[in-house]
Amino acid sequence: MSTPARLGVVGTGYVGLTTGACFAHLGHTVVCGDIDPRKVDLLNDGQIPIVEEGLEDVVNESRRAGRLSFVLGSQAAAADADIVFLCVPTPQGEDGSADLSYIEQAAREIGPVLKPGAVVVNKSTVPVGSTIAVEKVLQRDDVAVVSNPEFLREGTAVDDFLNPDRVVVGSSDLAGAQRVADLYSGIDTSVIITDPASAETIKYAANGFLAMKISFVNAVAAMCEHVGADVAAVVEGIGSDTRIGRRFLNPGPGWGGSCFPKDSRALVKIAEDHGYDFSMMRGVISVNDEQRRRMIDKIAKAVGRHQSDLSGVTVGVLGLTFKAGTDDLRESPSMAIIEELRTVGATVKAYDPTTSGELDPHQTMRLEGIELATGPLEVADGVDVLCVLTEWPEFAELDLRKVAETLGAGTTIVDTRNLLDPAEVKDLGLRYDGVGRR
Ligand code: NAD
């Protein structure tokens, strides 16, 4: 690997903590800073505040080796660093654009303490022009700003970081870009060095394309229901074409999570701000909104009601997170569907593997009003309809006989992830409704 560098990481969320721990694993010395004292205390106590496969091992191994530490605030993380990664949130602003206030605030904080010749890296997902915006806030002619978007997926973040399909680095300062690229020399991958606008566009275009694949297959699934085709066969047929590829072609309740919703809207807004109407992306978003409504319609039909009024109906929900393998509830399709069900009067009883233990304050707030069960069978007890909303592997292995006994004959399972075997469900006296399945 290249000469080990001293790195600072600002923000210890899904991206920052993974970035810090993995760079330390690669031999660099990393100080991670966060403004949330609860997170910093937990991390200094050897605890990982998020659910992420393999992260605890990488964090603890690097802490023991003395290459990873956690501090309160961005300045303490940045002061001694050669290269500082900004990994703070870029949530959706009111008009659909990315809210840059966290990035700007972090840049404002670290500007005065950066070492001469340091490099600041935008790892957060930021709109085109943000590299220049950070340069302006820093007010440091001796500091290069580099865009290095992150492509990791929650649930497989460590593996994705250490085995990326590519690394993208963009800057108008070639020396700065090369220093950032060199940090990855311990990883066997290709590094694309380009200008900042292209690097920033690559990240949004990648997320937009993946969201498009899911919206496309959801639209195909809707069509399958109309024409009597089976989406599983259709996906196998189209996905085995190497020009299309099988991944991101699973029909479901619509895409969600902390990235696709805000990034797809930001992509439309960035294009609009620069005079281009990205109508295809607007279509991708509207198919996704429609998909949520279709799931609610399936639930309502399962209990013989209209989706505008579900008063007196109790809906059992399996899965709250936006996908399996993470505890992230942000923009989860499950949470959006539950909110709509509750708005039209339904009572919701739910189970998720990540909320069965002690809840942190954010989870408690988000889950208010939902009756939480300790397992799938407890959810099934006394509900009018049961819905699979997240693809946790344990739901695919449910003891369906016990579920059927608990639900009672004739009850419907709405399987928005196509996890269960429809024939098995029906043989047990239940009714089944999946997505695009015959
Ligand atoms: P997150 O909300 O999990 O973590 C952000 C952290 O930054 C929080 O812990 C917060 O307390 C901290 N923070 C905010 N302001 C700070 C400041 N001034 N100083 C120090 N700490 C501060 O967010 P995330 O999911 O890690 O996402 C971060 C960025 O990475 C976003 O732009 C996101 O779009 C992008 N991204 C996320 C993913 C993902 O899967 N989560 C993947 C790729 C890219």
PDB file of all heavy atoms in Angstrom, residues 10-16 33-36 39 74 87-90 102 105-106 109 123-125 150-152 154 203 258-259 262-263 330, ligand 1:
ATOM      1  N   VAL A  10     -15.353  13.215   9.239  1.00  0.00           N
ATOM      2  CA  VAL A  10     -16.369  14.036   9.910  1.00  0.00           C
ATOM      3  C   VAL A  10     -17.736  13.387   9.686  1.00  0.00           C
ATOM      4  O   VAL A  10     -18.206  13.300   8.555  1.00  0.00           O
ATOM      5  CB  VAL A  10     -16.344  15.490   9.383  1.00  0.00           C
ATOM      6  CG1 VAL A  10     -17.433  16.312  10.069  1.00  0.00           C
ATOM      7  CG2 VAL A  10     -14.968  16.103   9.599  1.00  0.00           C
ATOM      8  N   GLY A  11     -18.342  12.912  10.775  1.00  0.00           N
ATOM      9  CA  GLY A  11     -19.618  12.186  10.695  1.00  0.00           C
ATOM     10  C   GLY A  11     -19.361  10.691  10.792  1.00  0.00           C
ATOM     11  O   GLY A  11     -18.608  10.131   9.993  1.00  0.00           O
ATOM     12  N   THR A  12     -19.947  10.056  11.807  1.00  0.00           N
ATOM     13  CA  THR A  12     -19.729   8.606  11.988  1.00  0.00           C
ATOM     14  C   THR A  12     -21.030   7.833  11.799  1.00  0.00           C
ATOM     15  O   THR A  12     -21.388   6.981  12.603  1.00  0.00           O
ATOM     16  CB  THR A  12     -19.154   8.285  13.385  1.00  0.00           C
ATOM     17  OG1 THR A  12     -20.102   8.748  14.353  1.00  0.00           O
ATOM     18  CG2 THR A  12     -17.820   8.915  13.618  1.00  0.00           C
ATOM     19  N   GLY A  13     -21.750   8.156  10.707  1.00  0.00           N
ATOM     20  CA  GLY A  13     -22.953   7.389  10.365  1.00  0.00           C
ATOM     21  C   GLY A  13     -22.560   6.168   9.548  1.00  0.00           C
ATOM     22  O   GLY A  13     -21.445   5.667   9.643  1.00  0.00           O
ATOM     23  N   TYR A  14     -23.488   5.694   8.718  1.00  0.00           N
ATOM     24  CA  TYR A  14     -23.258   4.491   7.907  1.00  0.00           C
ATOM     25  C   TYR A  14     -22.012   4.666   7.037  1.00  0.00           C
ATOM     26  O   TYR A  14     -21.176   3.768   6.946  1.00  0.00           O
ATOM     27  CB  TYR A  14     -24.486   4.199   7.039  1.00  0.00           C
ATOM     28  CG  TYR A  14     -25.674   3.769   7.874  1.00  0.00           C
ATOM     29  CD1 TYR A  14     -26.540   4.707   8.423  1.00  0.00           C
ATOM     30  CD2 TYR A  14     -25.887   2.430   8.156  1.00  0.00           C
ATOM     31  CE1 TYR A  14     -27.610   4.319   9.206  1.00  0.00           C
ATOM     32  CE2 TYR A  14     -26.960   2.026   8.945  1.00  0.00           C
ATOM     33  CZ  TYR A  14     -27.814   2.982   9.464  1.00  0.00           C
ATOM     34  OH  TYR A  14     -28.866   2.592  10.254  1.00  0.00           O
ATOM     35  N   VAL A  15     -21.875   5.831   6.406  1.00  0.00           N
ATOM     36  CA  VAL A  15     -20.751   6.041   5.495  1.00  0.00           C
ATOM     37  C   VAL A  15     -19.474   6.385   6.263  1.00  0.00           C
ATOM     38  O   VAL A  15     -18.414   5.803   6.030  1.00  0.00           O
ATOM     39  CB  VAL A  15     -21.102   7.150   4.462  1.00  0.00           C
ATOM     40  CG1 VAL A  15     -19.873   7.597   3.694  1.00  0.00           C
ATOM     41  CG2 VAL A  15     -22.160   6.624   3.498  1.00  0.00           C
ATOM     42  N   GLY A  16     -19.573   7.337   7.212  1.00  0.00           N
ATOM     43  CA  GLY A  16     -18.370   7.790   7.919  1.00  0.00           C
ATOM     44  C   GLY A  16     -17.720   6.691   8.740  1.00  0.00           C
ATOM     45  O   GLY A  16     -16.493   6.509   8.702  1.00  0.00           O
ATOM     46  N   GLY A  33     -14.808  12.000  13.909  1.00  0.00           N
ATOM     47  CA  GLY A  33     -15.500  12.937  14.802  1.00  0.00           C
ATOM     48  C   GLY A  33     -16.987  12.998  14.487  1.00  0.00           C
ATOM     49  O   GLY A  33     -17.392  12.914  13.330  1.00  0.00           O
ATOM     50  N   ASP A  34     -17.793  13.130  15.537  1.00  0.00           N
ATOM     51  CA  ASP A  34     -19.235  13.291  15.336  1.00  0.00           C
ATOM     52  C   ASP A  34     -19.746  14.317  16.342  1.00  0.00           C
ATOM     53  O   ASP A  34     -19.183  14.463  17.440  1.00  0.00           O
ATOM     54  CB  ASP A  34     -19.972  11.953  15.508  1.00  0.00           C
ATOM     55  CG  ASP A  34     -21.311  11.949  14.778  1.00  0.00           C
ATOM     56  OD1 ASP A  34     -22.259  12.632  15.240  1.00  0.00           O
ATOM     57  OD2 ASP A  34     -21.407  11.285  13.722  1.00  0.00           O
ATOM     58  N   ILE A  35     -20.838  15.003  15.966  1.00  0.00           N
ATOM     59  CA  ILE A  35     -21.408  15.971  16.907  1.00  0.00           C
ATOM     60  C   ILE A  35     -22.335  15.307  17.920  1.00  0.00           C
ATOM     61  O   ILE A  35     -22.770  15.947  18.869  1.00  0.00           O
ATOM     62  CB  ILE A  35     -22.223  17.102  16.202  1.00  0.00           C
ATOM     63  CG1 ILE A  35     -23.036  16.530  15.048  1.00  0.00           C
ATOM     64  CG2 ILE A  35     -21.358  18.247  15.800  1.00  0.00           C
ATOM     65  CD1 ILE A  35     -24.097  17.469  14.551  1.00  0.00           C
ATOM     66  N   ASP A  36     -22.659  14.044  17.692  1.00  0.00           N
ATOM     67  CA  ASP A  36     -23.598  13.346  18.578  1.00  0.00           C
ATOM     68  C   ASP A  36     -22.813  12.664  19.706  1.00  0.00           C
ATOM     69  O   ASP A  36     -22.157  11.635  19.485  1.00  0.00           O
ATOM     70  CB  ASP A  36     -24.372  12.314  17.733  1.00  0.00           C
ATOM     71  CG  ASP A  36     -25.417  11.556  18.540  1.00  0.00           C
ATOM     72  OD1 ASP A  36     -25.357  11.606  19.784  1.00  0.00           O
ATOM     73  OD2 ASP A  36     -26.275  10.900  17.922  1.00  0.00           O
ATOM     74  N   LYS A  39     -23.269   8.850  20.240  1.00  0.00           N
ATOM     75  CA  LYS A  39     -22.556   7.971  19.300  1.00  0.00           C
ATOM     76  C   LYS A  39     -21.082   7.861  19.673  1.00  0.00           C
ATOM     77  O   LYS A  39     -20.511   6.777  19.677  1.00  0.00           O
ATOM     78  CB  LYS A  39     -22.637   8.541  17.875  1.00  0.00           C
ATOM     79  CG  LYS A  39     -23.827   8.081  17.103  1.00  0.00           C
ATOM     80  CD  LYS A  39     -23.699   8.453  15.624  1.00  0.00           C
ATOM     81  CE  LYS A  39     -25.053   8.201  14.972  1.00  0.00           C
ATOM     82  NZ  LYS A  39     -25.148   8.664  13.617  1.00  0.00           N
ATOM     83  N   SER A  74     -16.085  17.999  14.729  1.00  0.00           N
ATOM     84  CA  SER A  74     -15.313  17.877  13.491  1.00  0.00           C
ATOM     85  C   SER A  74     -13.890  18.423  13.630  1.00  0.00           C
ATOM     86  O   SER A  74     -12.961  17.895  13.025  1.00  0.00           O
ATOM     87  CB  SER A  74     -16.036  18.636  12.383  1.00  0.00           C
ATOM     88  OG  SER A  74     -16.233  19.971  12.789  1.00  0.00           O
ATOM     89  N   CYS A  87     -18.449  13.223   5.761  1.00  0.00           N
ATOM     90  CA  CYS A  87     -19.439  12.139   5.617  1.00  0.00           C
ATOM     91  C   CYS A  87     -20.707  12.509   6.382  1.00  0.00           C
ATOM     92  O   CYS A  87     -21.260  11.709   7.140  1.00  0.00           O
ATOM     93  CB  CYS A  87     -18.880  10.825   6.148  1.00  0.00           C
ATOM     94  SG  CYS A  87     -17.316  10.346   5.418  1.00  0.00           S
ATOM     95  N   VAL A  88     -21.140  13.739   6.213  1.00  0.00           N
ATOM     96  CA  VAL A  88     -22.317  14.236   6.945  1.00  0.00           C
ATOM     97  C   VAL A  88     -23.562  14.087   6.069  1.00  0.00           C
ATOM     98  O   VAL A  88     -23.450  13.858   4.863  1.00  0.00           O
ATOM     99  CB  VAL A  88     -22.102  15.713   7.379  1.00  0.00           C
ATOM    100  CG1 VAL A  88     -20.955  15.806   8.377  1.00  0.00           C
ATOM    101  CG2 VAL A  88     -21.851  16.609   6.184  1.00  0.00           C
ATOM    102  N   PRO A  89     -24.755  14.234   6.657  1.00  0.00           N
ATOM    103  CA  PRO A  89     -25.971  14.021   5.853  1.00  0.00           C
ATOM    104  C   PRO A  89     -26.159  15.089   4.779  1.00  0.00           C
ATOM    105  O   PRO A  89     -25.725  16.234   4.943  1.00  0.00           O
ATOM    106  CB  PRO A  89     -27.103  14.121   6.887  1.00  0.00           C
ATOM    107  CG  PRO A  89     -26.451  14.049   8.228  1.00  0.00           C
ATOM    108  CD  PRO A  89     -25.057  14.545   8.064  1.00  0.00           C
ATOM    109  N   THR A  90     -26.817  14.699   3.694  1.00  0.00           N
ATOM    110  CA  THR A  90     -27.274  15.655   2.677  1.00  0.00           C
ATOM    111  C   THR A  90     -28.747  15.336   2.409  1.00  0.00           C
ATOM    112  O   THR A  90     -29.091  14.799   1.360  1.00  0.00           O
ATOM    113  CB  THR A  90     -26.452  15.530   1.367  1.00  0.00           C
ATOM    114  OG1 THR A  90     -26.350  14.135   1.013  1.00  0.00           O
ATOM    115  CG2 THR A  90     -25.076  16.106   1.515  1.00  0.00           C
ATOM    116  N   TYR A 102     -25.411  20.825   6.155  1.00  0.00           N
ATOM    117  CA  TYR A 102     -24.496  20.055   7.024  1.00  0.00           C
ATOM    118  C   TYR A 102     -23.067  20.083   6.476  1.00  0.00           C
ATOM    119  O   TYR A 102     -22.101  20.199   7.225  1.00  0.00           O
ATOM    120  CB  TYR A 102     -24.952  18.592   7.138  1.00  0.00           C
ATOM    121  CG  TYR A 102     -26.224  18.397   7.901  1.00  0.00           C
ATOM    122  CD1 TYR A 102     -27.448  18.430   7.251  1.00  0.00           C
ATOM    123  CD2 TYR A 102     -26.209  18.172   9.278  1.00  0.00           C
ATOM    124  CE1 TYR A 102     -28.630  18.244   7.942  1.00  0.00           C
ATOM    125  CE2 TYR A 102     -27.388  17.985   9.979  1.00  0.00           C
ATOM    126  CZ  TYR A 102     -28.601  18.023   9.307  1.00  0.00           C
ATOM    127  OH  TYR A 102     -29.771  17.841   9.993  1.00  0.00           O
ATOM    128  N   GLN A 105     -21.701  23.570   7.025  1.00  0.00           N
ATOM    129  CA  GLN A 105     -21.394  23.776   8.442  1.00  0.00           C
ATOM    130  C   GLN A 105     -20.084  23.053   8.813  1.00  0.00           C
ATOM    131  O   GLN A 105     -19.215  23.628   9.476  1.00  0.00           O
ATOM    132  CB  GLN A 105     -22.565  23.259   9.307  1.00  0.00           C
ATOM    133  CG  GLN A 105     -22.344  23.288  10.806  1.00  0.00           C
ATOM    134  CD  GLN A 105     -22.088  24.699  11.342  1.00  0.00           C
ATOM    135  OE1 GLN A 105     -22.481  25.696  10.717  1.00  0.00           O
ATOM    136  NE2 GLN A 105     -21.414  24.791  12.474  1.00  0.00           N
ATOM    137  N   ALA A 106     -19.946  21.818   8.342  1.00  0.00           N
ATOM    138  CA  ALA A 106     -18.729  21.054   8.655  1.00  0.00           C
ATOM    139  C   ALA A 106     -17.506  21.754   8.056  1.00  0.00           C
ATOM    140  O   ALA A 106     -16.458  21.874   8.702  1.00  0.00           O
ATOM    141  CB  ALA A 106     -18.855  19.627   8.115  1.00  0.00           C
ATOM    142  N   GLU A 109     -16.582  24.708  10.085  1.00  0.00           N
ATOM    143  CA  GLU A 109     -15.932  24.332  11.357  1.00  0.00           C
ATOM    144  C   GLU A 109     -14.464  23.964  11.149  1.00  0.00           C
ATOM    145  O   GLU A 109     -13.593  24.366  11.919  1.00  0.00           O
ATOM    146  CB  GLU A 109     -16.665  23.121  11.976  1.00  0.00           C
ATOM    147  CG  GLU A 109     -18.027  23.450  12.573  1.00  0.00           C
ATOM    148  CD  GLU A 109     -18.887  22.208  12.823  1.00  0.00           C
ATOM    149  OE1 GLU A 109     -18.387  21.069  12.699  1.00  0.00           O
ATOM    150  OE2 GLU A 109     -20.071  22.378  13.135  1.00  0.00           O
ATOM    151  N   LYS A 123     -17.303  13.094   0.632  1.00  0.00           N
ATOM    152  CA  LYS A 123     -17.729  11.705   0.446  1.00  0.00           C
ATOM    153  C   LYS A 123     -19.254  11.623   0.494  1.00  0.00           C
ATOM    154  O   LYS A 123     -19.850  10.707  -0.051  1.00  0.00           O
ATOM    155  CB  LYS A 123     -17.095  10.775   1.490  1.00  0.00           C
ATOM    156  CG  LYS A 123     -17.101   9.341   0.940  1.00  0.00           C
ATOM    157  CD  LYS A 123     -16.244   8.413   1.698  1.00  0.00           C
ATOM    158  CE  LYS A 123     -15.304   7.558   0.915  1.00  0.00           C
ATOM    159  NZ  LYS A 123     -15.567   7.333  -0.501  1.00  0.00           N
ATOM    160  N   SER A 124     -19.851  12.600   1.162  1.00  0.00           N
ATOM    161  CA  SER A 124     -21.311  12.684   1.120  1.00  0.00           C
ATOM    162  C   SER A 124     -21.751  12.823  -0.334  1.00  0.00           C
ATOM    163  O   SER A 124     -20.980  13.269  -1.177  1.00  0.00           O
ATOM    164  CB  SER A 124     -21.797  13.925   1.871  1.00  0.00           C
ATOM    165  OG  SER A 124     -21.433  13.872   3.217  1.00  0.00           O
ATOM    166  N   THR A 125     -23.007  12.447  -0.600  1.00  0.00           N
ATOM    167  CA  THR A 125     -23.560  12.623  -1.952  1.00  0.00           C
ATOM    168  C   THR A 125     -23.981  14.075  -2.112  1.00  0.00           C
ATOM    169  O   THR A 125     -24.889  14.541  -1.415  1.00  0.00           O
ATOM    170  CB  THR A 125     -24.767  11.684  -2.133  1.00  0.00           C
ATOM    171  OG1 THR A 125     -24.315  10.350  -1.884  1.00  0.00           O
ATOM    172  CG2 THR A 125     -25.338  11.782  -3.534  1.00  0.00           C
ATOM    173  N   GLU A 150     -19.358   7.883  -2.500  1.00  0.00           N
ATOM    174  CA  GLU A 150     -19.356   6.539  -1.920  1.00  0.00           C
ATOM    175  C   GLU A 150     -20.505   5.718  -2.503  1.00  0.00           C
ATOM    176  O   GLU A 150     -21.621   6.213  -2.618  1.00  0.00           O
ATOM    177  CB  GLU A 150     -19.492   6.645  -0.391  1.00  0.00           C
ATOM    178  CG  GLU A 150     -19.460   5.320   0.313  1.00  0.00           C
ATOM    179  CD  GLU A 150     -18.284   4.451  -0.119  1.00  0.00           C
ATOM    180  OE1 GLU A 150     -17.138   4.905  -0.043  1.00  0.00           O
ATOM    181  OE2 GLU A 150     -18.524   3.311  -0.562  1.00  0.00           O
ATOM    182  N   PHE A 151     -20.220   4.466  -2.844  1.00  0.00           N
ATOM    183  CA  PHE A 151     -21.232   3.606  -3.475  1.00  0.00           C
ATOM    184  C   PHE A 151     -21.656   2.437  -2.594  1.00  0.00           C
ATOM    185  O   PHE A 151     -22.344   1.535  -3.057  1.00  0.00           O
ATOM    186  CB  PHE A 151     -20.694   3.075  -4.814  1.00  0.00           C
ATOM    187  CG  PHE A 151     -20.379   4.174  -5.788  1.00  0.00           C
ATOM    188  CD1 PHE A 151     -19.091   4.680  -5.895  1.00  0.00           C
ATOM    189  CD2 PHE A 151     -21.381   4.730  -6.572  1.00  0.00           C
ATOM    190  CE1 PHE A 151     -18.798   5.708  -6.777  1.00  0.00           C
ATOM    191  CE2 PHE A 151     -21.096   5.759  -7.458  1.00  0.00           C
ATOM    192  CZ  PHE A 151     -19.805   6.252  -7.563  1.00  0.00           C
ATOM    193  N   LEU A 152     -21.199   2.402  -1.319  1.00  0.00           N
ATOM    194  CA  LEU A 152     -21.534   1.248  -0.462  1.00  0.00           C
ATOM    195  C   LEU A 152     -23.045   1.133  -0.272  1.00  0.00           C
ATOM    196  O   LEU A 152     -23.782   2.110  -0.375  1.00  0.00           O
ATOM    197  CB  LEU A 152     -20.834   1.361   0.895  1.00  0.00           C
ATOM    198  CG  LEU A 152     -21.182   2.519   1.835  1.00  0.00           C
ATOM    199  CD1 LEU A 152     -22.490   2.331   2.564  1.00  0.00           C
ATOM    200  CD2 LEU A 152     -20.069   2.700   2.839  1.00  0.00           C
ATOM    201  N   GLU A 154     -26.014  -0.167   2.441  1.00  0.00           N
ATOM    202  CA  GLU A 154     -26.234  -0.579   3.830  1.00  0.00           C
ATOM    203  C   GLU A 154     -26.520  -2.076   3.860  1.00  0.00           C
ATOM    204  O   GLU A 154     -27.168  -2.613   2.968  1.00  0.00           O
ATOM    205  CB  GLU A 154     -27.394   0.210   4.433  1.00  0.00           C
ATOM    206  CG  GLU A 154     -27.007   1.649   4.686  1.00  0.00           C
ATOM    207  CD  GLU A 154     -28.160   2.499   5.211  1.00  0.00           C
ATOM    208  OE1 GLU A 154     -29.093   1.955   5.799  1.00  0.00           O
ATOM    209  OE2 GLU A 154     -28.095   3.719   5.019  1.00  0.00           O
ATOM    210  N   LYS A 203     -22.300   9.762  -9.240  1.00  0.00           N
ATOM    211  CA  LYS A 203     -23.014   9.226  -8.068  1.00  0.00           C
ATOM    212  C   LYS A 203     -24.536   9.305  -8.252  1.00  0.00           C
ATOM    213  O   LYS A 203     -25.256   8.327  -8.034  1.00  0.00           O
ATOM    214  CB  LYS A 203     -22.577   9.988  -6.801  1.00  0.00           C
ATOM    215  CG  LYS A 203     -23.353   9.617  -5.552  1.00  0.00           C
ATOM    216  CD  LYS A 203     -23.154   8.166  -5.141  1.00  0.00           C
ATOM    217  CE  LYS A 203     -24.169   7.768  -4.091  1.00  0.00           C
ATOM    218  NZ  LYS A 203     -24.111   6.360  -3.735  1.00  0.00           N
ATOM    219  N   SER A 258     -32.236   5.605   2.728  1.00  0.00           N
ATOM    220  CA  SER A 258     -31.751   6.965   2.970  1.00  0.00           C
ATOM    221  C   SER A 258     -31.195   7.611   1.708  1.00  0.00           C
ATOM    222  O   SER A 258     -30.860   8.781   1.729  1.00  0.00           O
ATOM    223  CB  SER A 258     -30.674   6.938   4.054  1.00  0.00           C
ATOM    224  OG  SER A 258     -29.542   6.240   3.582  1.00  0.00           O
ATOM    225  N   CYS A 259     -31.064   6.870   0.602  1.00  0.00           N
ATOM    226  CA  CYS A 259     -30.411   7.449  -0.585  1.00  0.00           C
ATOM    227  C   CYS A 259     -31.312   7.602  -1.810  1.00  0.00           C
ATOM    228  O   CYS A 259     -31.462   8.709  -2.324  1.00  0.00           O
ATOM    229  CB  CYS A 259     -29.176   6.628  -0.939  1.00  0.00           C
ATOM    230  SG  CYS A 259     -27.888   6.760   0.308  1.00  0.00           S
ATOM    231  N   LYS A 262     -34.093  10.561  -1.949  1.00  0.00           N
ATOM    232  CA  LYS A 262     -33.591  11.936  -1.991  1.00  0.00           C
ATOM    233  C   LYS A 262     -32.686  12.143  -3.212  1.00  0.00           C
ATOM    234  O   LYS A 262     -32.706  13.204  -3.828  1.00  0.00           O
ATOM    235  CB  LYS A 262     -32.855  12.291  -0.689  1.00  0.00           C
ATOM    236  CG  LYS A 262     -31.478  11.679  -0.527  1.00  0.00           C
ATOM    237  CD  LYS A 262     -30.761  12.164   0.722  1.00  0.00           C
ATOM    238  CE  LYS A 262     -29.421  11.467   0.936  1.00  0.00           C
ATOM    239  NZ  LYS A 262     -28.402  11.729  -0.057  1.00  0.00           N
ATOM    240  N   ASP A 263     -31.913  11.122  -3.582  1.00  0.00           N
ATOM    241  CA  ASP A 263     -30.981  11.308  -4.697  1.00  0.00           C
ATOM    242  C   ASP A 263     -31.709  11.373  -6.040  1.00  0.00           C
ATOM    243  O   ASP A 263     -31.303  12.104  -6.937  1.00  0.00           O
ATOM    244  CB  ASP A 263     -29.923  10.190  -4.714  1.00  0.00           C
ATOM    245  CG  ASP A 263     -28.977  10.285  -3.507  1.00  0.00           C
ATOM    246  OD1 ASP A 263     -29.023  11.305  -2.787  1.00  0.00           O
ATOM    247  OD2 ASP A 263     -28.193   9.344  -3.287  1.00  0.00           O
ATOM    248  N   ARG A 330     -35.035   4.991   7.639  1.00  0.00           N
ATOM    249  CA  ARG A 330     -35.247   6.223   6.871  1.00  0.00           C
ATOM    250  C   ARG A 330     -35.878   5.912   5.504  1.00  0.00           C
ATOM    251  O   ARG A 330     -35.371   5.084   4.762  1.00  0.00           O
ATOM    252  CB  ARG A 330     -33.914   6.959   6.659  1.00  0.00           C
ATOM    253  CG  ARG A 330     -33.381   7.585   7.926  1.00  0.00           C
ATOM    254  CD  ARG A 330     -32.038   8.251   7.699  1.00  0.00           C
ATOM    255  NE  ARG A 330     -30.958   7.290   7.468  1.00  0.00           N
ATOM    256  CZ  ARG A 330     -29.676   7.634   7.286  1.00  0.00           C
ATOM    257  NH1 ARG A 330     -29.344   8.904   7.296  1.00  0.00           N
ATOM    258  NH2 ARG A 330     -28.756   6.716   7.102  1.00  0.00           N
TER     259      ARG A 330
HETATM  260  P1  NAD B   1     -25.890   9.376   8.750  1.00  0.00           P
HETATM  261  O1  NAD B   1     -27.020  10.258   9.065  1.00  0.00           O
HETATM  262  O2  NAD B   1     -25.955   7.924   9.083  1.00  0.00           O
HETATM  263  O3  NAD B   1     -24.560   9.935   9.425  1.00  0.00           O
HETATM  264  C1  NAD B   1     -24.179  11.278   9.373  1.00  0.00           C
HETATM  265  C2  NAD B   1     -23.448  11.632  10.668  1.00  0.00           C
HETATM  266  O4  NAD B   1     -22.901  12.939  10.551  1.00  0.00           O
HETATM  267  C3  NAD B   1     -24.336  11.639  11.905  1.00  0.00           C
HETATM  268  O5  NAD B   1     -23.798  10.750  12.874  1.00  0.00           O
HETATM  269  C4  NAD B   1     -24.296  13.095  12.393  1.00  0.00           C
HETATM  270  O6  NAD B   1     -24.371  13.210  13.801  1.00  0.00           O
HETATM  271  C5  NAD B   1     -22.940  13.530  11.847  1.00  0.00           C
HETATM  272  N1  NAD B   1     -22.746  14.979  11.693  1.00  0.00           N
HETATM  273  C6  NAD B   1     -23.589  15.906  11.167  1.00  0.00           C
HETATM  274  N2  NAD B   1     -23.015  17.114  11.176  1.00  0.00           N
HETATM  275  C7  NAD B   1     -21.791  16.971  11.722  1.00  0.00           C
HETATM  276  C8  NAD B   1     -20.720  17.867  12.006  1.00  0.00           C
HETATM  277  N3  NAD B   1     -20.779  19.181  11.710  1.00  0.00           N
HETATM  278  N4  NAD B   1     -19.606  17.369  12.611  1.00  0.00           N
HETATM  279  C9  NAD B   1     -19.507  16.065  12.922  1.00  0.00           C
HETATM  280  N5  NAD B   1     -20.495  15.164  12.669  1.00  0.00           N
HETATM  281  C10 NAD B   1     -21.612  15.618  12.074  1.00  0.00           C
HETATM  282  O7  NAD B   1     -25.639   9.561   7.174  1.00  0.00           O
HETATM  283  P2  NAD B   1     -25.073   8.480   6.139  1.00  0.00           P
HETATM  284  O8  NAD B   1     -26.146   7.509   5.793  1.00  0.00           O
HETATM  285  O9  NAD B   1     -23.763   7.994   6.614  1.00  0.00           O
HETATM  286  O10 NAD B   1     -24.883   9.405   4.855  1.00  0.00           O
HETATM  287  C11 NAD B   1     -23.879  10.391   4.797  1.00  0.00           C
HETATM  288  C12 NAD B   1     -23.735  10.853   3.344  1.00  0.00           C
HETATM  289  O11 NAD B   1     -23.314   9.749   2.530  1.00  0.00           O
HETATM  290  C13 NAD B   1     -25.032  11.336   2.695  1.00  0.00           C
HETATM  291  O12 NAD B   1     -24.731  12.354   1.794  1.00  0.00           O
HETATM  292  C14 NAD B   1     -25.533  10.129   1.940  1.00  0.00           C
HETATM  293  O13 NAD B   1     -26.347  10.467   0.854  1.00  0.00           O
HETATM  294  C15 NAD B   1     -24.230   9.513   1.473  1.00  0.00           C
HETATM  295  N6  NAD B   1     -24.290   8.065   1.215  1.00  0.00           N
HETATM  296  C16 NAD B   1     -24.991   7.257   2.063  1.00  0.00           C
HETATM  297  C17 NAD B   1     -25.015   5.896   1.821  1.00  0.00           C
HETATM  298  C18 NAD B   1     -25.811   4.995   2.724  1.00  0.00           C
HETATM  299  O14 NAD B   1     -26.055   3.845   2.315  1.00  0.00           O
HETATM  300  N7  NAD B   1     -26.214   5.410   3.909  1.00  0.00           N
HETATM  301  C19 NAD B   1     -24.325   5.354   0.730  1.00  0.00           C
HETATM  302  C20 NAD B   1     -23.593   6.205  -0.086  1.00  0.00           C
HETATM  303  C21 NAD B   1     -23.594   7.567   0.164  1.00  0.00           C
END
